[in-house]
Amino acid sequence: MNLQFILGNFALILFVLMVLTGIVWCLDVFYFARQRRAAADAALAAFDARNAKLSTEGIKVDNTSRHSIEAAILRQPTWIEYSGSFFPVIALVFILRSFLYEPFKIPSGSMVPTLVIGDLILVNKFTYGIRLPVLNQKIIDVNDPQRGDVMVFKYPDDMAQDYIKRVVGIPGDKITYENKRLTVNGQEIKYTALPDFLDEESPVYHKQYMEDLTGVPHRILNDEGKAVINIDQVKNFPHREGCTYTVDKFTCIVPPGNYFMMGDNRDNSSDSRYWGFVPNKNIVGKAFFVWMNLGSLGRIGSIH
């Protein structure tokens, strides 16, 4: 069992632990504790009867041990004590991360400059609807993802992996990417040149632009020396028949119930250009806040 498996199935592991510790807690409250109480009452009754008999015989008795006898019998076994202690903590964590907020750590540079390696982020789990834990089945609709949202989702080729990208296309959109510029439904997206960005992980400079994705401005990076699309890396993904590729351009029509995702580090991102659309059932939540980066505390703040 490797770290990737644990992280990818953490909700399931938490659920199993919550159920197991919850069963032990319930058994103790409704059965084992009563059994211990009955045993303690019987032992105390015998102790009191013995002392009463000794008293009638004129023998001095010591009642100081009565409390210790009761405490010893009522004491929880270690495995029950630990289970009962962990159950409320595990249950609280499970509920918080399943229905409210879940923390993630950024492992790659595909979302630079918006998110960098080492950013610890919070993801809103309810903004796109309430989902059943583990099954990830939506039971209550709230909002749908919008263009420009930074979204966490299950990687379509491996549901144990969580990916984070920006929503570029929503169901029904026609997305065209040509000369490293986006067009959505025939509308050319506006770009404003910014000072070159120094990637401290490389370190190299990248061309930086402010992209206004239908009213959502955010920074992106381009590498002038890299191709628009590496066709040999494009997979045979579902609904690929809705996409056309050439060496310097691609066009995709986003099918119903799916989303087209791209990284802000456009030439250094494995995204929908290569492995296809993200189904609604894969959605985890909306990233909205960087709560820590041990290498740069100044990065703490909202995600745009």
Side-chain angles (χ1 to χ4, degrees):
M1 183 183 297
N2 58 29
L3 180 61
Q4 184 60 52
F5 176 86
I6 293 173
L7 293 176
N9 295 277
F10 191 59
L12 177 60
I13 294 172
L14 266 183
F15 177 73
V16 171
L17 289 175
M18 182 182 69
V19 170
L20 292 177
T21 56
I23 290 174
V24 173
W25 181 84
C26 289
L27 285 173
D28 184 56
V29 170
F30 297 107
Y31 181 74
F32 293 130
R34 296 177 181 180
Q35 293 293 100
R36 293 195 302 272
R37 181 70 262 175
D41 290 343
L44 292 176
F47 178 83
D48 293 338
R50 175 179 174 275
N51 282 356
K53 182 180 179 181
L54 291 175
S55 295
T56 59
E57 295 174 355
I59 301 174
K60 185 179 180 180
V61 297
D62 181 11
N63 287 315
T64 58
S65 59
R66 191 179 194 279
H67 178 72
S68 60
I69 292 173
E70 181 182 27
I73 297 175
L74 292 179
R75 184 180 300 118
Q76 293 176 318
T78 302
W79 65 280
I80 292 181
E81 181 181 1
Y82 276 101
S83 296
S85 299
F86 286 133
F87 169 63
V89 177
I90 294 173
L92 178 62
V93 172
F94 181 77
I95 292 171
L96 285 176
R97 76 186 303 277
S98 296
F99 298 107
L100 298 177
Y101 305 104
E102 184 174 357
F104 286 89
K105 182 178 181 180
I106 302 301
S108 73
S110 68
M111 282 295 291
V112 174
T114 305
L115 298 169
V116 302
I117 296 174
D119 279 351
L120 301 175
I121 67 171
L122 284 178
V123 173
N124 185 316
K125 299 295 290 287
F126 60 84
T127 190
Y128 296 141
I130 306 300
R131 297 173 183 267
L132 290 175
V134 182
L135 299 177
N136 204 37
Q137 177 67 44
K138 185 188 288 188
I139 55 175
I140 300 176
D141 284 320
V142 180
N143 299 304
D144 292 322
Q146 301 298 312
R147 300 185 203 96
D149 288 356
V150 178
M151 189 169 80
V152 174
F153 55 91
K154 298 293 183 182
Y155 178 43
D157 288 347
D158 183 359
M159 294 291 284
Q161 292 190 50
D162 293 305
Y163 269 34
I164 182 168
K165 308 290 179 185
R166 190 177 296 276
V167 179
V168 169
I170 61 177
D173 279 353
K174 181 178 181 180
I175 306 298
T176 299
Y177 192 60
E178 183 176 12
N179 297 323
K180 301 189 179 181
R181 297 292 184 267
L182 276 172
T183 299
V184 178
N185 298 327
Q187 176 184 349
E188 295 184 0
I189 301 303
K190 296 179 181 179
Y191 292 86
T192 304
L194 299 175
D196 289 353
F197 180 85
L198 175 61
D199 185 351
E200 297 179 355
E201 295 290 332
S202 303
V204 295
Y205 281 94
H206 303 273
K207 291 294 182 182
Q208 182 176 209
Y209 299 90
M210 182 66 73
E211 179 182 80
D212 189 346
L213 186 57
T214 61
V216 181
H218 58 275
R219 295 182 296 159
I220 67 159
L221 302 181
N222 282 148
D223 287 349
E224 290 185 330
K226 292 189 176 182
V228 171
I229 186 78
N230 296 311
I231 298 180
D232 58 330
Q233 296 180 19
V234 177
K235 299 181 179 181
N236 188 25
F237 52 82
H239 306 291
R240 185 179 170 177
E241 66 276 6
C243 300
T244 57
Y245 289 86
T246 65
V247 293
D248 58 358
K249 174 184 176 181
F250 77 81
T251 297
C252 280
I253 297 177
V254 185
N258 286 262
Y259 297 88
F260 194 90
M261 314 297 297
M262 294 181 73
D264 289 346
N265 193 354
R266 291 289 159 80
D267 296 314
N268 297 280
S269 172
S270 172
D271 48 40
S272 288
R273 292 171 289 182
Y274 297 102
W275 40 253
F277 307 101
V278 174
N280 186 276
K281 64 183 178 65
N282 288 42
I283 293 174
V284 173
K286 180 179 180 180
F288 71 98
F289 193 77
V290 177
W291 62 273
M292 181 60 71
N293 185 310
L294 296 177
S296 176
L297 297 180
R299 289 199 49 76
I300 297 175
S302 299
I303 297 172
H304 302 287

mmCIF file of all heavy atoms in Angstrom, residues 119-152:
data_model
loop_
_atom_site.group_PDB
_atom_site.id
_atom_site.type_symbol
_atom_site.label_atom_id
_atom_site.label_comp_id
_atom_site.label_asym_id
_atom_site.label_seq_id
_atom_site.Cartn_x
_atom_site.Cartn_y
_atom_site.Cartn_z
ATOM 1 N N ASP A 119 2.075 24.612 -2.240
ATOM 2 C CA ASP A 119 0.898 25.321 -1.724
ATOM 3 C C ASP A 119 -0.047 24.324 -1.046
ATOM 4 O O ASP A 119 -0.358 23.267 -1.608
ATOM 5 C CB ASP A 119 0.144 26.020 -2.854
ATOM 6 C CG ASP A 119 0.758 27.349 -3.240
ATOM 7 O OD1 ASP A 119 1.663 27.822 -2.522
ATOM 8 O OD2 ASP A 119 0.338 27.929 -4.263
ATOM 9 N N LEU A 120 -0.513 24.668 0.144
ATOM 10 C CA LEU A 120 -1.539 23.887 0.829
ATOM 11 C C LEU A 120 -2.853 24.641 0.668
ATOM 12 O O LEU A 120 -2.968 25.794 1.103
ATOM 13 C CB LEU A 120 -1.185 23.716 2.305
ATOM 14 C CG LEU A 120 0.150 23.018 2.581
ATOM 15 C CD1 LEU A 120 0.456 23.010 4.076
ATOM 16 C CD2 LEU A 120 0.155 21.606 2.034
ATOM 17 N N ILE A 121 -3.810 24.018 0.025
ATOM 18 C CA ILE A 121 -5.029 24.717 -0.351
ATOM 19 C C ILE A 121 -6.254 24.095 0.317
ATOM 20 O O ILE A 121 -6.220 22.948 0.774
ATOM 21 C CB ILE A 121 -5.229 24.723 -1.878
ATOM 22 C CG1 ILE A 121 -5.491 23.299 -2.385
ATOM 23 C CG2 ILE A 121 -4.034 25.330 -2.581
ATOM 24 C CD1 ILE A 121 -5.916 23.239 -3.842
ATOM 25 N N LEU A 122 -7.330 24.873 0.359
ATOM 26 C CA LEU A 122 -8.619 24.388 0.822
ATOM 27 C C LEU A 122 -9.567 24.306 -0.370
ATOM 28 O O LEU A 122 -9.583 25.199 -1.232
ATOM 29 C CB LEU A 122 -9.213 25.314 1.881
ATOM 30 C CG LEU A 122 -8.609 25.235 3.292
ATOM 31 C CD1 LEU A 122 -9.278 26.259 4.191
ATOM 32 C CD2 LEU A 122 -8.761 23.831 3.871
ATOM 33 N N VAL A 123 -10.348 23.236 -0.391
ATOM 34 C CA VAL A 123 -11.304 23.013 -1.477
ATOM 35 C C VAL A 123 -12.714 22.989 -0.896
ATOM 36 O O VAL A 123 -12.982 22.258 0.064
ATOM 37 C CB VAL A 123 -11.001 21.691 -2.209
ATOM 38 C CG1 VAL A 123 -12.095 21.368 -3.215
ATOM 39 C CG2 VAL A 123 -9.648 21.774 -2.899
ATOM 40 N N ASN A 124 -13.591 23.799 -1.468
ATOM 41 C CA ASN A 124 -14.988 23.850 -1.051
ATOM 42 C C ASN A 124 -15.714 22.637 -1.638
ATOM 43 O O ASN A 124 -15.794 22.481 -2.856
ATOM 44 C CB ASN A 124 -15.619 25.156 -1.550
ATOM 45 C CG ASN A 124 -17.026 25.354 -1.056
ATOM 46 O OD1 ASN A 124 -17.832 24.438 -1.055
ATOM 47 N ND2 ASN A 124 -17.333 26.578 -0.639
ATOM 48 N N LYS A 125 -16.260 21.774 -0.753
ATOM 49 C CA LYS A 125 -16.873 20.532 -1.211
ATOM 50 C C LYS A 125 -18.361 20.664 -1.520
ATOM 51 O O LYS A 125 -18.952 19.752 -2.093
ATOM 52 C CB LYS A 125 -16.685 19.441 -0.142
ATOM 53 C CG LYS A 125 -15.243 19.089 0.168
ATOM 54 C CD LYS A 125 -14.546 18.473 -1.034
ATOM 55 C CE LYS A 125 -15.047 17.099 -1.365
ATOM 56 N NZ LYS A 125 -14.609 16.056 -0.413
ATOM 57 N N PHE A 126 -18.987 21.777 -1.125
ATOM 58 C CA PHE A 126 -20.438 21.880 -1.307
ATOM 59 C C PHE A 126 -20.858 22.866 -2.381
ATOM 60 O O PHE A 126 -22.032 22.885 -2.767
ATOM 61 C CB PHE A 126 -21.122 22.247 0.017
ATOM 62 C CG PHE A 126 -20.674 23.553 0.619
ATOM 63 C CD1 PHE A 126 -21.232 24.756 0.216
ATOM 64 C CD2 PHE A 126 -19.684 23.577 1.589
ATOM 65 C CE1 PHE A 126 -20.823 25.953 0.763
ATOM 66 C CE2 PHE A 126 -19.265 24.780 2.149
ATOM 67 C CZ PHE A 126 -19.833 25.968 1.727
ATOM 68 N N THR A 127 -19.935 23.684 -2.880
ATOM 69 C CA THR A 127 -20.342 24.721 -3.838
ATOM 70 C C THR A 127 -20.870 24.134 -5.146
ATOM 71 O O THR A 127 -21.683 24.742 -5.826
ATOM 72 C CB THR A 127 -19.176 25.686 -4.119
ATOM 73 O OG1 THR A 127 -19.654 26.800 -4.854
ATOM 74 C CG2 THR A 127 -18.071 24.997 -4.921
ATOM 75 N N TYR A 128 -20.404 22.923 -5.522
ATOM 76 C CA TYR A 128 -20.890 22.273 -6.735
ATOM 77 C C TYR A 128 -21.944 21.203 -6.440
ATOM 78 O O TYR A 128 -22.257 20.385 -7.300
ATOM 79 C CB TYR A 128 -19.735 21.640 -7.510
ATOM 80 C CG TYR A 128 -18.721 22.625 -8.029
ATOM 81 C CD1 TYR A 128 -17.361 22.331 -8.006
ATOM 82 C CD2 TYR A 128 -19.111 23.858 -8.558
ATOM 83 C CE1 TYR A 128 -16.428 23.229 -8.490
ATOM 84 C CE2 TYR A 128 -18.183 24.755 -9.037
ATOM 85 C CZ TYR A 128 -16.835 24.435 -9.003
ATOM 86 O OH TYR A 128 -15.896 25.329 -9.486
ATOM 87 N N GLY A 129 -22.465 21.196 -5.219
ATOM 88 C CA GLY A 129 -23.492 20.225 -4.868
ATOM 89 C C GLY A 129 -23.042 19.304 -3.757
ATOM 90 O O GLY A 129 -21.846 19.077 -3.566
ATOM 91 N N ILE A 130 -23.996 18.767 -3.022
ATOM 92 C CA ILE A 130 -23.715 17.840 -1.935
ATOM 93 C C ILE A 130 -23.603 16.434 -2.520
ATOM 94 O O ILE A 130 -24.512 15.967 -3.225
ATOM 95 C CB ILE A 130 -24.823 17.875 -0.860
ATOM 96 C CG1 ILE A 130 -25.029 19.321 -0.369
ATOM 97 C CG2 ILE A 130 -24.474 16.955 0.296
ATOM 98 C CD1 ILE A 130 -23.813 19.944 0.242
ATOM 99 N N ARG A 131 -22.500 15.767 -2.201
ATOM 100 C CA ARG A 131 -22.250 14.428 -2.735
ATOM 101 C C ARG A 131 -22.092 13.424 -1.596
ATOM 102 O O ARG A 131 -21.599 13.773 -0.519
ATOM 103 C CB ARG A 131 -20.990 14.419 -3.618
ATOM 104 C CG ARG A 131 -21.110 15.293 -4.856
ATOM 105 C CD ARG A 131 -19.793 15.401 -5.609
ATOM 106 N NE ARG A 131 -19.912 16.287 -6.749
ATOM 107 C CZ ARG A 131 -20.212 15.890 -7.990
ATOM 108 N NH1 ARG A 131 -20.393 14.595 -8.238
ATOM 109 N NH2 ARG A 131 -20.323 16.752 -8.973
ATOM 110 N N LEU A 132 -22.487 12.182 -1.876
ATOM 111 C CA LEU A 132 -22.297 11.125 -0.895
ATOM 112 C C LEU A 132 -20.819 10.818 -0.756
ATOM 113 O O LEU A 132 -20.129 10.652 -1.773
ATOM 114 C CB LEU A 132 -23.045 9.857 -1.325
ATOM 115 C CG LEU A 132 -24.578 9.899 -1.260
ATOM 116 C CD1 LEU A 132 -25.154 8.615 -1.833
ATOM 117 C CD2 LEU A 132 -25.053 10.103 0.173
ATOM 118 N N PRO A 133 -20.296 10.764 0.466
ATOM 119 C CA PRO A 133 -18.883 10.410 0.657
ATOM 120 C C PRO A 133 -18.576 9.044 0.059
ATOM 121 O O PRO A 133 -19.440 8.168 -0.015
ATOM 122 C CB PRO A 133 -18.724 10.409 2.182
ATOM 123 C CG PRO A 133 -19.860 11.217 2.699
ATOM 124 C CD PRO A 133 -20.994 11.014 1.736
ATOM 125 N N VAL A 134 -17.335 8.883 -0.366
ATOM 126 C CA VAL A 134 -16.812 7.636 -0.939
ATOM 127 C C VAL A 134 -17.399 7.387 -2.329
ATOM 128 O O VAL A 134 -16.670 7.259 -3.312
ATOM 129 C CB VAL A 134 -17.066 6.415 -0.023
ATOM 130 C CG1 VAL A 134 -16.471 5.161 -0.650
ATOM 131 C CG2 VAL A 134 -16.485 6.647 1.362
ATOM 132 N N LEU A 135 -18.731 7.331 -2.455
ATOM 133 C CA LEU A 135 -19.372 7.089 -3.749
ATOM 134 C C LEU A 135 -19.282 8.298 -4.666
ATOM 135 O O LEU A 135 -19.352 8.167 -5.889
ATOM 136 C CB LEU A 135 -20.843 6.709 -3.550
ATOM 137 C CG LEU A 135 -21.119 5.447 -2.732
ATOM 138 C CD1 LEU A 135 -22.621 5.252 -2.567
ATOM 139 C CD2 LEU A 135 -20.489 4.226 -3.399
ATOM 140 N N ASN A 136 -19.147 9.502 -4.094
ATOM 141 C CA ASN A 136 -19.073 10.759 -4.832
ATOM 142 C C ASN A 136 -20.294 10.972 -5.723
ATOM 143 O O ASN A 136 -20.217 11.568 -6.789
ATOM 144 C CB ASN A 136 -17.792 10.838 -5.682
ATOM 145 C CG ASN A 136 -17.392 12.264 -5.982
ATOM 146 O OD1 ASN A 136 -17.544 13.145 -5.135
ATOM 147 N ND2 ASN A 136 -16.887 12.510 -7.173
ATOM 148 N N GLN A 137 -21.447 10.486 -5.280
ATOM 149 C CA GLN A 137 -22.696 10.629 -6.021
ATOM 150 C C GLN A 137 -23.425 11.883 -5.552
ATOM 151 O O GLN A 137 -23.729 12.035 -4.369
ATOM 152 C CB GLN A 137 -23.570 9.391 -5.791
ATOM 153 C CG GLN A 137 -24.934 9.457 -6.457
ATOM 154 C CD GLN A 137 -24.846 9.439 -7.972
ATOM 155 O OE1 GLN A 137 -24.094 8.659 -8.544
ATOM 156 N NE2 GLN A 137 -25.608 10.313 -8.616
ATOM 157 N N LYS A 138 -23.711 12.789 -6.496
ATOM 158 C CA LYS A 138 -24.407 14.025 -6.134
ATOM 159 C C LYS A 138 -25.844 13.734 -5.740
ATOM 160 O O LYS A 138 -26.564 13.029 -6.441
ATOM 161 C CB LYS A 138 -24.378 15.018 -7.289
ATOM 162 C CG LYS A 138 -24.981 16.378 -6.929
ATOM 163 C CD LYS A 138 -25.111 17.287 -8.135
ATOM 164 C CE LYS A 138 -23.787 17.793 -8.618
ATOM 165 N NZ LYS A 138 -23.948 18.832 -9.679
ATOM 166 N N ILE A 139 -26.248 14.290 -4.591
ATOM 167 C CA ILE A 139 -27.623 14.098 -4.119
ATOM 168 C C ILE A 139 -28.387 15.423 -4.039
ATOM 169 O O ILE A 139 -29.614 15.415 -4.036
ATOM 170 C CB ILE A 139 -27.645 13.393 -2.742
ATOM 171 C CG1 ILE A 139 -26.782 14.159 -1.725
ATOM 172 C CG2 ILE A 139 -27.168 11.953 -2.867
ATOM 173 C CD1 ILE A 139 -26.843 13.588 -0.320
ATOM 174 N N ILE A 140 -27.660 16.541 -3.968
ATOM 175 C CA ILE A 140 -28.302 17.856 -3.928
ATOM 176 C C ILE A 140 -27.549 18.802 -4.855
ATOM 177 O O ILE A 140 -26.342 18.999 -4.701
ATOM 178 C CB ILE A 140 -28.323 18.444 -2.502
ATOM 179 C CG1 ILE A 140 -29.089 17.523 -1.546
ATOM 180 C CG2 ILE A 140 -28.950 19.832 -2.506
ATOM 181 C CD1 ILE A 140 -29.068 17.998 -0.108
ATOM 182 N N ASP A 141 -28.236 19.374 -5.827
ATOM 183 C CA ASP A 141 -27.617 20.348 -6.726
ATOM 184 C C ASP A 141 -27.510 21.699 -6.031
ATOM 185 O O ASP A 141 -28.438 22.131 -5.346
ATOM 186 C CB ASP A 141 -28.447 20.508 -8.005
ATOM 187 C CG ASP A 141 -28.259 19.345 -8.961
ATOM 188 O OD1 ASP A 141 -27.122 18.880 -9.093
ATOM 189 O OD2 ASP A 141 -29.262 18.904 -9.558
ATOM 190 N N VAL A 142 -26.371 22.362 -6.215
ATOM 191 C CA VAL A 142 -26.181 23.709 -5.683
ATOM 192 C C VAL A 142 -25.794 24.645 -6.830
ATOM 193 O O VAL A 142 -26.604 25.418 -7.327
ATOM 194 C CB VAL A 142 -25.127 23.735 -4.560
ATOM 195 C CG1 VAL A 142 -24.962 25.159 -4.022
ATOM 196 C CG2 VAL A 142 -25.536 22.800 -3.417
ATOM 197 N N ASN A 143 -24.549 24.565 -7.264
ATOM 198 C CA ASN A 143 -24.073 25.354 -8.401
ATOM 199 C C ASN A 143 -23.338 24.448 -9.372
ATOM 200 O O ASN A 143 -22.876 23.362 -9.011
ATOM 201 C CB ASN A 143 -23.117 26.467 -7.942
ATOM 202 C CG ASN A 143 -23.789 27.434 -6.985
ATOM 203 O OD1 ASN A 143 -24.812 28.020 -7.291
ATOM 204 N ND2 ASN A 143 -23.200 27.601 -5.804
ATOM 205 N N ASP A 144 -23.200 24.902 -10.605
ATOM 206 C CA ASP A 144 -22.389 24.205 -11.605
ATOM 207 C C ASP A 144 -21.056 24.919 -11.757
ATOM 208 O O ASP A 144 -20.968 26.144 -11.565
ATOM 209 C CB ASP A 144 -23.101 24.179 -12.953
ATOM 210 C CG ASP A 144 -24.349 23.306 -12.931
ATOM 211 O OD1 ASP A 144 -24.313 22.248 -12.279
ATOM 212 O OD2 ASP A 144 -25.358 23.699 -13.559
ATOM 213 N N PRO A 145 -19.993 24.188 -12.111
ATOM 214 C CA PRO A 145 -18.714 24.841 -12.382
ATOM 215 C C PRO A 145 -18.845 25.880 -13.484
ATOM 216 O O PRO A 145 -19.588 25.684 -14.457
ATOM 217 C CB PRO A 145 -17.809 23.675 -12.822
ATOM 218 C CG PRO A 145 -18.432 22.463 -12.191
ATOM 219 C CD PRO A 145 -19.912 22.722 -12.228
ATOM 220 N N GLN A 146 -18.131 26.979 -13.334
ATOM 221 C CA GLN A 146 -18.152 28.059 -14.319
ATOM 222 C C GLN A 146 -16.761 28.247 -14.914
ATOM 223 O O GLN A 146 -15.758 27.889 -14.305
ATOM 224 C CB GLN A 146 -18.617 29.360 -13.665
ATOM 225 C CG GLN A 146 -20.009 29.284 -13.042
ATOM 226 C CD GLN A 146 -21.085 28.986 -14.066
ATOM 227 O OE1 GLN A 146 -21.132 29.609 -15.132
ATOM 228 N NE2 GLN A 146 -21.963 28.038 -13.746
ATOM 229 N N ARG A 147 -16.714 28.814 -16.104
ATOM 230 C CA ARG A 147 -15.418 29.107 -16.726
ATOM 231 C C ARG A 147 -14.578 29.975 -15.786
ATOM 232 O O ARG A 147 -15.075 30.947 -15.223
ATOM 233 C CB ARG A 147 -15.596 29.836 -18.050
ATOM 234 C CG ARG A 147 -16.381 29.056 -19.080
ATOM 235 C CD ARG A 147 -16.404 29.814 -20.420
ATOM 236 N NE ARG A 147 -17.549 29.393 -21.223
ATOM 237 C CZ ARG A 147 -18.703 30.039 -21.255
ATOM 238 N NH1 ARG A 147 -18.843 31.159 -20.563
ATOM 239 N NH2 ARG A 147 -19.690 29.583 -22.001
ATOM 240 N N GLY A 148 -13.344 29.592 -15.641
ATOM 241 C CA GLY A 148 -12.439 30.341 -14.782
ATOM 242 C C GLY A 148 -12.285 29.752 -13.395
ATOM 243 O O GLY A 148 -11.339 30.106 -12.679
ATOM 244 N N ASP A 149 -13.186 28.864 -12.984
ATOM 245 C CA ASP A 149 -13.054 28.222 -11.670
ATOM 246 C C ASP A 149 -11.807 27.340 -11.636
ATOM 247 O O ASP A 149 -11.473 26.667 -12.619
ATOM 248 C CB ASP A 149 -14.275 27.345 -11.367
ATOM 249 C CG ASP A 149 -15.529 28.158 -11.070
ATOM 250 O OD1 ASP A 149 -15.435 29.396 -11.030
ATOM 251 O OD2 ASP A 149 -16.588 27.539 -10.868
ATOM 252 N N VAL A 150 -11.141 27.332 -10.493
ATOM 253 C CA VAL A 150 -10.040 26.393 -10.265
ATOM 254 C C VAL A 150 -10.642 25.201 -9.535
ATOM 255 O O VAL A 150 -11.131 25.331 -8.413
ATOM 256 C CB VAL A 150 -8.912 27.034 -9.442
ATOM 257 C CG1 VAL A 150 -7.806 26.022 -9.165
ATOM 258 C CG2 VAL A 150 -8.338 28.246 -10.183
ATOM 259 N N MET A 151 -10.619 24.049 -10.183
ATOM 260 C CA MET A 151 -11.397 22.898 -9.708
ATOM 261 C C MET A 151 -10.514 21.674 -9.471
ATOM 262 O O MET A 151 -9.604 21.383 -10.254
ATOM 263 C CB MET A 151 -12.485 22.567 -10.734
ATOM 264 C CG MET A 151 -13.497 21.536 -10.283
ATOM 265 S SD MET A 151 -14.900 21.454 -11.435
ATOM 266 C CE MET A 151 -14.185 20.436 -12.748
ATOM 267 N N VAL A 152 -10.811 20.971 -8.389
ATOM 268 C CA VAL A 152 -10.174 19.689 -8.097
ATOM 269 C C VAL A 152 -11.116 18.583 -8.555
ATOM 270 O O VAL A 152 -12.332 18.657 -8.340
ATOM 271 C CB VAL A 152 -9.860 19.542 -6.599
ATOM 272 C CG1 VAL A 152 -9.327 18.143 -6.284
ATOM 273 C CG2 VAL A 152 -8.844 20.594 -6.167
#
